[in-house]
Amino acid sequence: MSKKNKQFVEEITPMEVDFPQWYTDVITKTDLVDYSPVKGFMVIKPYGYAIWENIQNFADRRFKETGHKNCYFPLLIPESLLTKEAEHVEGFAPEVAWVTHGGKNELAERLCVRPTSETIICSMYAKWLKSYRDLPYLYNQWCSVVRWEKSTRPFLRTSEFLWQEGHTLHETAEEAKEETLQMLEIYKEVAEDLLAMPVVCGQKSENEKFAGADSTYTIEALMHDGKALQSGTSHFLGQHFTKAFEIQYSDRDGNLANPYHTSWGISTRLIGGLIMVHGDNRGLVLPPRVAPIQVVIVPIAAHKGNVMEKVDEIFADLKTSIRVEVDDRENYSPGWKFNEWEMKGVPVRIEIGPKDIEKSQVTIFRRDILEKTQIPMENLKETIEKLLDDIHESLFNKALEMREKKTYIAKNMDEFKKIIEETPGFIKAMWCQDTECELKIKEETGATIRCIPFEQEKLADTCVCCGKKAEKMVYLAKAY
Amino acid sequence: MSKKNKQFVEEITPMEVDFPQWYTDVITKTDLVDYSPVKGFMVIKPYGYAIWENIQNFADRRFKETGHKNCYFPLLIPESLLTKEAEHVEGFAPEVAWVTHGGKNELAERLCVRPTSETIICSMYAKWLKSYRDLPYLYNQWCSVVRWEKSTRPFLRTSEFLWQEGHTLHETAEEAKEETLQMLEIYKEVAEDLLAMPVVCGQKSENEKFAGADSTYTIEALMHDGKALQSGTSHFLGQHFTKAFEIQYSDRDGNLANPYHTSWGISTRLIGGLIMVHGDNRGLVLPPRVAPIQVVIVPIAAHKGNVMEKVDEIFADLKTSIRVEVDDRENYSPGWKFNEWEMKGVPVRIEIGPKDIEKSQVTIFRRDILEKTQIPMENLKETIEKLLDDIHESLFNKALEMREKKTYIAKNMDEFKKIIEETPGFIKAMWCQDTECELKIKEETGATIRCIPFEQEKLADTCVCCGKKAEKMVYLAKAY
């Protein structure tokens, strides 16, 4: 390793030494994000934002394919609206930012910067909805929300983040529940098919559900350090809000009825997830489908013969279906460039030099397995397209293996505590569904119930905590 | 006209009777927008938001083609940052919303909800920029901004609106000026090639320029009522902000230098513009390239023979390249549907009934000229694609004619006042470039200098106001 190369790698603290520092090094040194002058607020830099754009494009297409339309509701919500649904205000009021002055004048009523938009949206739905013929309402908005957080980390928990929030109304509880689960399934697609990040799908406990929901569903991913990341949630809100906001319509029998309601969201938090699932000690490892740059071409001995001519030719071919860039900077050596693009997690590097051209081949470097090979120049685009798919599969399988390796079973609290201390990860355990046990586990170990998974296993007959009869298997973990 | 049809048209106040009421009727009855519980804040409904998405897609593609990347900066800006550039704070401080509390705690420093992001972005650029090699910075963000307005109208002037704001840094003033003009040219493309809305391009007067700019450039459109709409602005900011924020880099000679700076923006205001340029007394007339639905197919006698089969077949064919919908609602008559889609401004309606099928034709209705014709079913997609282009051209030409008809020349204040009172529109006049004359005209007539157009004409030797020597021709008008 040359001096220059070494310097690069040393910039990132190894994850085994200090995982939080590794994360901080990766996100800042790869130009994804930066800290802003406002405590807890982040700046998403172009390389990070391009990842978000790819997530948006994928999700938005799926939302539209399933009949949803986008719209936009005001950023500021009057205090009187926020407080209409009792559980909701209790959950959110402690963490909202309050606007008290407009220009030089004090406002008659405080306005909060939206922490989520159920209340303002329901106030409008109440005005619009007339008849069962208007249902379902299938609307979504892309925006930023503000939640005043004490302790923040870029992407994972920030006082402002970007997200989408879907808000739908339905005639029946069944239809609303189907919608809730359909959107969770789409979130699973985003996580697994786009981000190559395997997730456990399930229901939140009463204690962990959204403030104002009947039930909350979640996708949970496991990070390299054995902590879980809640990566997307979908809420069946029943009639909590539609009654509080008096949303009524004339039903098929001509009677006034309250519709059933869902909401669902994913956010820039997913970017933190993909970093902590795929990254390594050299930096980012980006799954190909979400990578802003899928392929970087580095010319070797660019001044020689027809190297640049060939590079341009290949670039022109690839760019019709692949996000590809040529790194033709003159002041940097190929070795320096290799290291930079490895750190930035570009899935595939193509090196083209005089020797490659002689042999009608290119040299390929796979970021995920750090492997160099030579492949023929012929049908290069098709080969690379297939390679990108292979890398996606390979990253997904690797992450799944990691998760399985770090998933444990505990049958009593002694086993539970030993796992938490020695080998952090997901713990599968039986639970009696009593909130007391849930809170006791949290207090004694710091772990929370991540979800009651759809795929149940009968691990034992008794609760991991109280030893009483238990019928539900849950996933627990310390979480971000 | 049947009773039902009549009822529809009567819902919209004729523009000759009351133009503001016509506008309000059109935007609310066509489901573009609604008023929210927060005074001055609007809800953009799905049909309106889809127009914005089409504007975004067009503009974002052009931004990226010209080398710009998207990013995201915080919503909230510390007061101390807002006040760093003297002219800027003077311009914006009176109209910002102030966040004073986070959760239950009063903040040590007030934060304003961004009215525009020069200050927060410059504070980050100061941190990032090191060398001339890093330049140019070509970044943009899509977001919402808040400006506390006293008198608001949906799309045209609201306390919150959606926009994009580009913020670039350059080595030389020349390069920054080129960027400023390049982005103005792209805004002209958005207005003319997408929205079929002709614009006058030029420079703002000193009095009308952006708070903190060296010079501001604008595209100005003329509405049906003879008022002008500033539809997009691009600012050459010189070194005002880069000095105030101490943005410095090591230049080609190794000296520290301040870069040159631009910013530029278009907003949801454009939607108000296209309504007031193309709309008529039946409602919206949407230019095809921005219309959420370009073609609606209405089956006639849908239950008869193979009507629905043919409709499905045509729909499947068209939808590969056209935004098309089938209105197969059973509870509504064709006449009712015709009126609804006319009001909503869908450019082309296709009617298909048993008689059409018999003759292997479809009936076409053009919203812009209210004309029905029959065309062969063969090669329908190609015919419709061409028709949509023709409609775009036709709308543009009609709007240009309207503008030319409403553009007047005034050589003295008597002529000027007569035009303003009797035939509102653009007034071309010579101006001595003295702010006193500008302010006097504004005070006496309500008209402002919209721009000093790039295309100059020598109308006279003397200023329309003071009669002294004048070398610049300007466009004046009352404006939104």
Side-chain angles (χ1 to χ4, degrees):
Chain A
M1 199 185 279
S2 79
K3 227 178 179 178
K4 265 200 170 160
N5 296 3
K6 218 178 151 200
Q7 175 202 335
F8 243 113
V9 176
E10 277 176 2
E11 281 183 8
I12 295 174
T13 307
M15 58 171 84
E16 301 77 13
V17 173
D18 183 345
F19 193 82
Q21 190 57 49
W22 168 84
Y23 179 78
T24 302
D25 286 350
V26 169
I27 56 171
T28 53
K29 286 180 204 300
T30 60
D31 270 343
L32 291 179
V33 77
D34 201 356
Y35 301 90
S36 85
V38 195
K39 197 177 162 290
F41 285 65
M42 64 179 164
V43 173
I44 306 181
K45 297 177 83 172
Y47 197 55
Y49 197 83
I51 295 175
W52 181 237
E53 286 182 308
N54 289 334
I55 293 172
Q56 284 189 302
N57 287 340
F58 183 100
D60 198 66
R61 183 177 51 77
R62 293 293 292 127
F63 297 163
K64 284 176 177 154
E65 282 170 359
T66 47
H68 301 86
K69 290 180 177 173
N70 289 329
C71 46
Y72 188 76
F73 290 85
L75 171 71
L76 302 181
I77 302 175
E79 186 165 16
S80 57
L81 279 188
L82 189 73
T83 55
K84 270 204 176 181
E85 207 286 333
E87 287 177 36
H88 188 72
V89 64
E90 201 182 319
F92 283 103
E95 55 180 48
V96 297
W98 291 106
V99 172
T100 57
H101 289 73
K104 295 200 171 154
N105 303 316
E106 188 166 354
L107 304 178
E109 181 182 7
R110 296 201 296 179
L111 305 170
C112 80
V113 183
R114 67 180 157 231
T116 180
S117 302
E118 277 75 9
T119 56
I120 184 101
I121 290 179
C122 281
S123 80
M124 299 307 297
Y125 283 180
K127 185 175 167 191
W128 297 340
L129 184 64
K130 305 283 179 224
S131 154
Y132 72 91
R133 286 194 191 88
D134 307 330
L135 292 174
Y137 272 15
L138 302 174
Y139 302 139
N140 174 65
Q141 77 176 0
W142 293 93
C143 62
S144 82
V145 289
V146 169
R147 298 175 187 179
W148 222 255
E149 299 280 358
K150 283 189 190 107
S151 157
T152 59
R153 313 206 59 202
F155 295 125
L156 298 172
R157 189 172 294 279
T158 43
S159 289
E160 181 190 17
F161 55 90
L162 303 181
W163 81 341
Q164 60 67 217
E165 45 179 327
H167 296 267
T168 73
L169 295 182
H170 307 264
E171 272 188 270
T172 64
E174 290 61 43
E175 197 188 301
K177 279 179 194 165
E178 266 171 40
E179 167 81 6
T180 311
L181 294 177
Q182 171 185 258
M183 301 325 288
L184 193 77
E185 187 60 32
I186 288 177
Y187 289 166
K188 186 178 190 236
E189 285 177 32
V190 172
E192 301 196 337
D193 299 348
L194 180 70
L195 309 179
M197 182 171 83
V199 288
V200 176
C201 300
Q203 189 173 346
K204 285 283 181 193
S205 65
E206 281 298 300
N207 184 55
E208 295 278 338
K209 74 180 187 188
F210 177 76
D214 250 36
S215 49
T216 287
Y217 300 87
T218 180
I219 55 169
E220 299 279 330
L222 194 69
M223 307 292 106
H224 262 316
D225 63 347
K227 285 170 84 172
L229 186 78
Q230 175 180 306
S231 305
T233 49
S234 186
H235 316 293
F236 170 61
L237 301 168
Q239 296 176 315
H240 290 220
F241 289 87
T242 65
K243 283 186 174 163
F245 283 84
E246 298 174 56
I247 306 178
Q248 290 187 315
Y249 67 97
S250 166
D251 72 11
R252 285 167 199 270
D253 304 319
N255 301 319
L256 279 182
N258 297 106
Y260 292 85
H261 181 203
T262 87
S263 70
W264 27 275
I266 50 173
S267 74
T268 37
R269 178 166 237 222
L270 283 169
I271 300 174
L274 75 90
I275 295 164
M276 293 196 292
V277 163
H278 301 301
D280 63 20
N281 285 339
R282 291 188 182 216
L284 285 177
V285 177
L286 293 177
R289 291 174 195 161
V290 80
I293 304 169
Q294 298 176 305
V295 172
V296 63
I297 304 176
V298 179
I300 311 294
H303 56 285
K304 280 197 187 157
N306 58 346
V307 169
M308 282 316 294
E309 200 180 301
K310 205 71 204 174
V311 163
D312 291 344
E313 195 183 295
I314 289 173
F315 171 72
D317 182 35
L318 295 187
K319 79 171 179 186
T320 57
S321 66
I322 293 166
R323 294 187 290 272
V324 57
E325 281 195 13
V326 174
D327 184 354
D328 54 4
R329 287 176 293 175
E330 284 179 3
N331 295 314
Y332 299 88
S333 71
W336 198 94
K337 291 176 183 177
F338 294 173
N339 274 288
E340 182 173 29
W341 295 115
E342 282 173 33
M343 188 168 78
K344 294 193 105 171
V346 173
V348 172
R349 178 174 78 234
I350 298 179
E351 303 165 20
I352 303 174
K355 274 187 199 160
D356 295 301
I357 294 173
E358 220 170 80
K359 296 182 189 168
S360 211
Q361 68 179 25
V362 298
T363 299
I364 295 284
F365 176 79
R366 261 180 75 163
R367 173 63 182 92
D368 61 328
I369 53 172
L370 304 170
E371 194 181 85
K372 238 183 200 187
T373 50
Q374 274 76 34
I375 60 169
M377 246 179 228
E378 211 183 344
N379 296 324
L380 187 61
K381 189 167 77 171
E382 289 69 26
T383 313
I384 300 284
E385 280 171 357
K386 185 167 176 316
L387 179 64
L388 292 172
D389 275 338
D390 290 348
I391 292 173
H392 175 89
E393 288 303 316
S394 171
L395 282 173
F396 180 83
N397 290 331
K398 196 173 159 190
L400 190 59
E401 259 174 52
M402 182 270 280
R403 186 185 85 190
E404 281 171 1
K405 220 180 107 193
K406 292 189 180 175
T407 300
Y408 307 90
I409 293 171
K411 295 195 177 163
N412 55 54
M413 285 306 284
D414 286 343
E415 286 179 18
F416 196 100
K417 287 176 185 170
K418 193 168 145 64
I419 296 165
I420 284 287
E421 270 163 38
E422 293 175 11
T423 55
F426 271 142
I427 302 178
K428 296 197 285 192
M430 298 305 289
W431 174 50
C432 64
Q433 297 181 67
D434 192 327
T435 303
E436 253 182 60
C437 283
E438 185 180 6
L439 295 176
K440 194 178 166 201
I441 294 173
K442 189 175 177 182
E443 202 190 308
E444 290 185 9
T445 69
T448 49
I449 294 179
R450 304 316 306 155
C451 71
I452 307 157
F454 295 146
E455 287 184 22
Q456 284 284 313
E457 298 166 53
K458 192 176 170 70
L459 307 171
D461 293 315
T462 55
C463 175
V464 67
C465 182
C466 65
K468 287 183 195 155
K469 197 167 172 240
E471 288 182 349
K472 287 289 178 193
M473 188 264 274
V474 292
Y475 275 84
L476 300 109
K478 289 192 180 176
Y480 280 96
Chain B
M1 199 183 277
S2 80
K3 225 179 181 179
K4 264 196 170 162
N5 295 4
K6 214 177 153 201
Q7 175 200 335
F8 244 111
V9 176
E10 279 178 1
E11 282 184 6
I12 294 174
T13 307
M15 58 171 85
E16 300 77 13
V17 173
D18 182 346
F19 193 82
Q21 189 57 46
W22 168 83
Y23 180 78
T24 302
D25 287 350
V26 169
I27 57 172
T28 53
K29 288 179 203 300
T30 60
D31 269 343
L32 291 179
V33 77
D34 201 357
Y35 301 91
S36 85
V38 195
K39 197 177 160 292
F41 286 65
M42 64 179 163
V43 173
I44 307 181
K45 298 177 85 170
Y47 197 55
Y49 197 84
I51 294 176
W52 181 236
E53 287 182 308
N54 289 334
I55 294 172
Q56 283 189 302
N57 288 339
F58 183 100
D60 198 67
R61 182 177 54 75
R62 293 294 292 127
F63 297 162
K64 283 176 177 154
E65 282 170 359
T66 46
H68 301 85
K69 289 180 178 173
N70 289 328
C71 47
Y72 188 76
F73 290 85
L75 171 71
L76 303 181
I77 301 175
E79 186 165 14
S80 57
L81 279 187
L82 188 74
T83 56
K84 269 201 174 181
E85 209 285 333
E87 287 176 36
H88 188 71
V89 63
E90 200 183 317
F92 283 103
E95 57 180 47
V96 297
W98 290 104
V99 171
T100 57
H101 289 74
K104 295 200 168 152
N105 304 315
E106 189 166 353
L107 304 178
E109 181 182 7
R110 297 200 298 178
L111 304 169
C112 80
V113 182
R114 65 178 160 233
T116 179
S117 301
E118 278 75 10
T119 57
I120 184 100
I121 290 179
C122 281
S123 79
M124 298 308 297
Y125 283 179
K127 186 177 167 189
W128 298 340
L129 184 64
K130 306 282 179 224
S131 154
Y132 72 90
R133 287 195 192 89
D134 308 330
L135 291 173
Y137 273 14
L138 302 174
Y139 302 139
N140 174 64
Q141 76 175 358
W142 292 93
C143 62
S144 82
V145 289
V146 169
R147 300 177 186 178
W148 222 256
E149 299 279 0
K150 284 191 191 106
S151 156
T152 59
R153 313 206 60 200
F155 297 124
L156 298 173
R157 189 172 293 279
T158 45
S159 290
E160 181 189 16
F161 54 91
L162 302 181
W163 80 342
Q164 60 68 220
E165 45 179 329
H167 296 267
T168 72
L169 295 182
H170 306 264
E171 273 188 88
T172 64
E174 289 62 42
E175 197 188 302
K177 279 179 196 166
E178 266 171 39
E179 167 80 6
T180 311
L181 295 178
Q182 172 186 253
M183 299 326 288
L184 194 77
E185 187 61 31
I186 288 178
Y187 289 166
K188 185 177 190 235
E189 285 177 32
V190 172
E192 300 195 338
D193 299 347
L194 181 70
L195 308 180
M197 183 171 84
V199 288
V200 175
C201 300
Q203 186 173 348
K204 284 282 178 192
S205 66
E206 281 299 300
N207 184 54
E208 294 279 338
K209 74 179 185 188
F210 178 76
D214 251 37
S215 48
T216 288
Y217 300 87
T218 180
I219 55 170
E220 300 278 329
L222 194 69
M223 306 294 105
H224 261 316
D225 62 347
K227 283 169 83 173
L229 186 77
Q230 175 181 305
S231 306
T233 49
S234 186
H235 315 293
F236 170 61
L237 301 168
Q239 297 175 314
H240 290 220
F241 289 88
T242 66
K243 284 187 174 162
F245 283 85
E246 297 174 56
I247 306 178
Q248 291 187 316
Y249 67 97
S250 166
D251 71 11
R252 285 168 198 269
D253 303 320
N255 301 318
L256 279 181
N258 297 108
Y260 293 84
H261 182 202
T262 87
S263 70
W264 27 275
I266 50 172
S267 75
T268 37
R269 177 165 238 224
L270 283 170
I271 300 174
L274 75 89
I275 296 165
M276 292 195 294
V277 164
H278 301 301
D280 64 20
N281 285 340
R282 292 188 181 217
L284 285 176
V285 177
L286 292 177
R289 291 174 195 161
V290 81
I293 304 169
Q294 297 176 303
V295 173
V296 63
I297 305 176
V298 180
I300 310 295
H303 55 285
K304 279 197 188 159
N306 58 345
V307 168
M308 282 316 294
E309 201 179 303
K310 204 73 204 172
V311 164
D312 291 343
E313 195 183 297
I314 288 173
F315 171 71
D317 181 36
L318 295 187
K319 78 171 179 187
T320 57
S321 66
I322 293 166
R323 294 186 291 273
V324 57
E325 281 194 14
V326 174
D327 185 354
D328 56 3
R329 287 176 295 176
E330 285 179 2
N331 296 313
Y332 299 87
S333 70
W336 198 95
K337 291 176 183 177
F338 294 173
N339 274 290
E340 182 173 29
W341 295 116
E342 283 173 34
M343 187 168 77
K344 293 192 103 170
V346 172
V348 172
R349 179 174 77 233
I350 299 180
E351 303 166 20
I352 304 174
K355 274 185 199 161
D356 295 300
I357 294 173
E358 219 170 82
K359 296 181 190 167
S360 212
Q361 68 179 26
V362 298
T363 300
I364 295 283
F365 177 80
R366 263 180 74 162
R367 172 64 181 91
D368 61 327
I369 53 173
L370 304 170
E371 192 181 86
K372 237 182 201 188
T373 49
Q374 273 77 33
I375 59 169
M377 243 179 232
E378 213 184 344
N379 296 325
L380 187 60
K381 189 167 75 170
E382 289 69 28
T383 314
I384 300 286
E385 280 170 356
K386 185 167 177 313
L387 179 63
L388 292 172
D389 275 338
D390 289 349
I391 293 173
H392 173 91
E393 288 304 316
S394 170
L395 281 174
F396 179 83
N397 289 333
K398 197 174 158 188
L400 190 60
E401 259 175 53
M402 182 270 281
R403 186 184 85 191
E404 281 170 1
K405 219 181 106 191
K406 293 189 178 176
T407 299
Y408 306 89
I409 292 172
K411 296 196 176 163
N412 55 53
M413 285 307 282
D414 285 343
E415 285 179 18
F416 196 99
K417 286 177 186 170
K418 190 167 148 64
I419 296 166
I420 284 286
E421 270 164 39
E422 293 175 11
T423 55
F426 271 141
I427 301 178
K428 296 196 285 191
M430 298 307 288
W431 174 51
C432 63
Q433 297 181 68
D434 193 327
T435 303
E436 251 183 63
C437 283
E438 184 179 7
L439 296 177
K440 192 177 169 206
I441 293 173
K442 189 175 176 183
E443 203 189 306
E444 291 185 8
T445 69
T448 49
I449 294 180
R450 303 317 304 155
C451 70
I452 307 156
F454 296 144
E455 287 183 23
Q456 284 284 314
E457 297 164 55
K458 194 175 169 70
L459 307 171
D461 293 315
T462 54
C463 175
V464 66
C465 183
C466 65
K468 288 185 192 149
K469 196 171 172 234
E471 288 184 350
K472 289 286 176 194
M473 189 263 275
V474 292
Y475 275 84
L476 299 108
K478 288 193 184 180
Y480 280 96

